[in-house]
C-alpha cells in the first residue's frame, strides 16, 4: 500500500459562521483552487482519479485548531451502562454525566482516548469546545436594490453559530477563530500538485468561501499554516475515529459505533451558493464525524467516492473519503459494543 502523509491545514476565520464546513464542502473548495492554479482539465482528471481510486485523498471536517470531534453517541451509550450505586457520594449522577458529555463537542487530541475510556469523568475534561446557535437579524434595503424609492426594508434572519472554548469550570467562554482540517495524501504527482496549490493559496492570502452568504462576509477562511502530522498507526489496529463525511466501503459494522448524517447535497459553487440550475438537491447519508469505525483491512480502504447524482455534473463526485484518526483503545473499552445508529 502506498505511503500516506497527513497534513494539518490551519485556517483563520474571517468574520462569522453559519455552520462549520464538512469535508464535502472543503473538497469542493480544494478542487476549485486546484483548477485556478492549474486548469479545469487537470482538475477534472484529479477528480476522476479520486473516484476511480487511482490515487488516495481523504479529508476531515473543519474543526477548532488542535481539537477532535467527541464521539458523543458512543459515550452516552457507555455512560448509560455505568453501574448504579445507592450511595453515590461524590459521584456524578447519570443526568450530570449526560449533560457533561453533551456540552463537549470537541476536545484536545491528547484528552480523547482517556475520555472515551472513562466517560464518567466527562465533567473534568477541560478545555473543551462547544457550539452555540443563534439568529442574526438582517435588513434588505429593497428601495436601493430595485431602485424603487419608498419601499420598506425587508427584515429577515440568518442562522449563525458561535464556536466557544471553555478552559475551566470557572473560566469564561472564549470565541474560537483558529480552525484546521486534515488532509491525507498519497505520493502521486497530483497529490504533490494539490499540496503545492495550498502553499500558493497561503502565500497569496487566498480566501476560501466555505458556506452560504459569503458575499455578506460569512463563512470565509484564510490559510495560516500547513503542517505535516505524524499519526502512529500500530500494525493490526482496527479502531478509528471518523473525522469527516464517510461513505463506507470496507468497514466492520458489527464492531463500529456509527451515527448517520443525512443531508441534501447540491453541487459546490465557488462562492458558497446553491447551483440555481438544480430544481432540487439529492439526499444522501454519510457516517458522521465522531463515529467510531472498525475497519476490516486497511484504513485506507474504509471510504469511497461515487459519481455525482446530477446529470449535467457527471464528471463530479460525491466525496466520501474521510480522515480516520487512530484510537489505541482496543480491549479497554470498545469490546462488545456493537450498536449502529
Amino acid at each position: 500500500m502506498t505511503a500516506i502523509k497527513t497534513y494539518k491545514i490551519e485556517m483563520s476565520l474571517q468574520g462569522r459562521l453559519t455552520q462549520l464546513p464538512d469535508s464535502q464542502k472543503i473538497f469542493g473548495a480544494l478542487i476549485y483552487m486546484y483548477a485556478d492554479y492549474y486548469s479545469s482539465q487537470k482538475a477534472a482528471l484529479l477528480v476522476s482519479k479520486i473516484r476511480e481510486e487511482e490515487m488516495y485523498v481523504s479529508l476531515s471536517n473543519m474543526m477548532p485548531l488542535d481539537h477532535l470531534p467527541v464521539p458523543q453517541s458512543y459515550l452516552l451509550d457507555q455512560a448509560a451502562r455505568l453501574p448504579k450505586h445507592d450511595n453515590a457520594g461524590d459521584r456524578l449522577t447519570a443526568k450530570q454525566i449526560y449533560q457533561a458529555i453533551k456540552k463537549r463537542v470537541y476536545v484536545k487530541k491528547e484528552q480523547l482516548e482517556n475520555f472515551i475510556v472513562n466517560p464518567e469523568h466527562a465533567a473534568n475534561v477541560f478545555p473543551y469546545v462547544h457550539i452555540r446557535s443563534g439568529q442574526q437579524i438582517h435588513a434588505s434595503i429593497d428601495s436601493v436594490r430595485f431602485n424603487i424609492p419608498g419601499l420598506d426594508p425587508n427584515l429577515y434572519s440568518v442562522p449563525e453559530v458561535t464556536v466557544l472554548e471553555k478552559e475551566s469550570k470557572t473560566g469564561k467562554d472564549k470565541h474560537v477563530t483558529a480552525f484546521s482540517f486534515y488532509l491525507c495524501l498519497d505520493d502521486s504527482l497530483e497529490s504533490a500538485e494539490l499540496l503545492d496549490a495550498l502553499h500558493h493559496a497561503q502565500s497569496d492570502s487566498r480566501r476560501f468561501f466555505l458556506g452560504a452568504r459569503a458575499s455578506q462576509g460569512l463563512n470565509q477562511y484564510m490559510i495560516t499554516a500547513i503542517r505535516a502530522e505524524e499519526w502512529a498507526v500500530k500494525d493490526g489496529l482496527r479502531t478509528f475515529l471518523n473525522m469527516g463525511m464517510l461513505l463506507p466501503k470496507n468497514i466492520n459494522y458489527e464492531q463500529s459505533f456509527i451515527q448517520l448524517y443525512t443531508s441534501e447535497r447540491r453541487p459546490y459553487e465557488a462562492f458558497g451558493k446553491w447551483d440555481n440550475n438544480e430544481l432540487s438537491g439529492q439526499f444522501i447519508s454519510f457516517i458522521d464525524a465522531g463515529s467510531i469505525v472498525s475497519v476490516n483491512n486497511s484504513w485506507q480502504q474504509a471510504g469511497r467516492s461515487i459519481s455525482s447524482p446530477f446529470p449535467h455534473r457527471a464528471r463530479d463526485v460525491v466525496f466520501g473519503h474521510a480522515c480516520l484518526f487512530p484510537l489505541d483503545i482496543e480491549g479497554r473499552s470498545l469490546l462488545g459494543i456493537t450498536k449502529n445508529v
Side-chain angles (χ1 to χ4, degrees):
M1 183 63 70
T2 302
I4 304 298
K5 294 184 179 180
T6 301
Y7 300 91
K8 180 172 66 173
I9 315 301
E10 300 181 8
M11 307 195 86
S12 174
L13 175 65
Q14 310 293 306
R16 305 189 307 276
L17 279 173
T18 60
Q19 65 184 77
L20 282 175
D22 62 28
S23 54
Q24 272 259 300
K25 179 72 70 175
I26 295 171
F27 177 74
L30 293 185
I31 296 303
Y32 265 85
M33 175 200 69
Y34 184 87
D36 285 346
Y37 285 110
Y38 294 98
S39 69
S40 59
Q41 291 79 14
K42 293 199 68 171
L45 180 60
L46 173 68
V47 169
S48 175
K49 287 191 172 185
I50 292 172
R51 182 181 59 240
E52 301 302 324
E53 299 185 359
E54 297 175 12
M55 63 178 293
Y56 182 85
V57 176
S58 64
L59 286 163
S60 75
N61 294 352
M62 189 74 75
M63 299 176 288
L65 183 63
D66 296 327
H67 288 70
L68 295 178
V70 172
Q72 289 187 332
S73 294
Y74 171 75
L75 289 172
L76 292 172
D77 181 85
Q78 287 289 81
R81 297 167 182 258
L82 293 174
K84 305 298 189 294
H85 300 276
D86 294 333
N87 183 14
D90 294 332
R91 294 188 183 93
L92 294 179
T93 65
K95 182 178 180 181
Q96 289 172 322
I97 295 174
Y98 174 88
Q99 292 173 337
I101 293 172
K102 291 294 287 183
K103 287 179 180 177
R104 288 155 174 81
V105 181
Y106 300 94
V107 297
K108 294 282 189 179
K109 286 194 296 184
E110 55 269 22
Q111 298 171 304
L112 184 66
E113 289 182 359
N114 187 59
F115 190 8
I116 291 174
V117 175
N118 300 291
E120 67 273 19
H121 299 157
N124 297 322
V125 176
F126 290 95
Y128 67 86
V129 171
H130 62 107
I131 296 176
R132 185 170 64 203
S133 300
Q135 297 281 334
Q136 285 284 339
I137 303 300
H138 292 248
S140 175
I141 311 301
D142 289 345
S143 59
V144 175
R145 180 183 178 189
F146 299 110
N147 195 25
I148 303 177
L151 290 181
D152 292 331
N154 180 27
L155 297 178
Y156 62 96
S157 63
V158 175
E160 294 190 21
V161 299
T162 305
V163 184
L164 301 165
E165 183 180 41
K166 185 80 167 179
E167 294 183 339
S168 65
K169 290 182 180 179
T170 58
K172 294 183 178 180
D173 287 341
K174 182 175 68 175
H175 284 248
V176 175
T177 58
F179 294 87
S180 66
F181 67 89
Y182 292 92
L183 170 65
C184 298
L185 296 171
D186 63 13
D187 57 1
S188 65
L189 173 62
E190 291 82 3
S191 292
E193 290 175 341
L194 181 59
L195 186 63
D196 190 52
L198 280 166
H199 282 288
H200 279 298
Q202 180 185 1
S203 61
D204 293 344
S205 299
R206 179 191 179 103
R207 285 180 180 257
F208 288 81
F209 305 104
L210 296 173
R213 303 186 183 277
S215 62
Q216 299 176 15
L218 280 71
N219 303 309
Q220 297 185 20
Y221 297 82
M222 292 176 61
I223 297 175
T224 56
I226 300 172
R227 307 183 192 279
E229 287 276 306
E230 290 291 338
W231 292 350
V233 181
K234 295 183 178 179
D235 290 341
L237 185 68
R238 293 287 182 262
T239 306
F240 295 82
L241 176 72
N242 180 40
M243 299 198 299
M245 297 290 103
L246 179 69
L247 284 175
K249 175 187 176 184
N250 192 3
I251 69 172
N252 185 335
Y253 288 94
E254 291 185 352
Q255 293 298 319
S256 298
F257 197 96
I258 64 177
Q259 181 172 336
L260 296 182
Y261 179 86
T262 301
S263 67
E264 184 183 23
R265 295 281 149 165
R266 297 189 184 185
Y268 177 83
E269 293 298 309
F271 294 97
K273 301 176 183 177
W274 290 120
D275 185 342
N276 293 326
N277 292 321
E278 299 296 338
L279 296 178
S280 62
Q282 297 286 336
F283 287 90
I284 188 168
S285 293
F286 300 84
I287 294 180
D288 201 3
S291 297
I292 294 177
V293 174
S294 175
V295 301
N296 285 321
N297 299 305
S298 168
W299 58 270
Q300 299 166 21
Q301 300 173 357
R304 60 186 174 131
S305 296
I306 61 176
S307 297
S308 170
F310 302 100
H312 75 285
R313 295 293 190 108
R315 71 177 187 176
D316 293 354
V317 299
V318 177
F319 183 76
H321 287 91
C323 284
L324 301 178
F325 182 78
L327 294 175
D328 189 16
I329 56 177
E330 294 173 333
R332 291 194 283 160
S333 178
L334 291 181
L335 293 183
I337 304 301
T338 60
K339 179 180 177 183
N340 297 319
V341 179

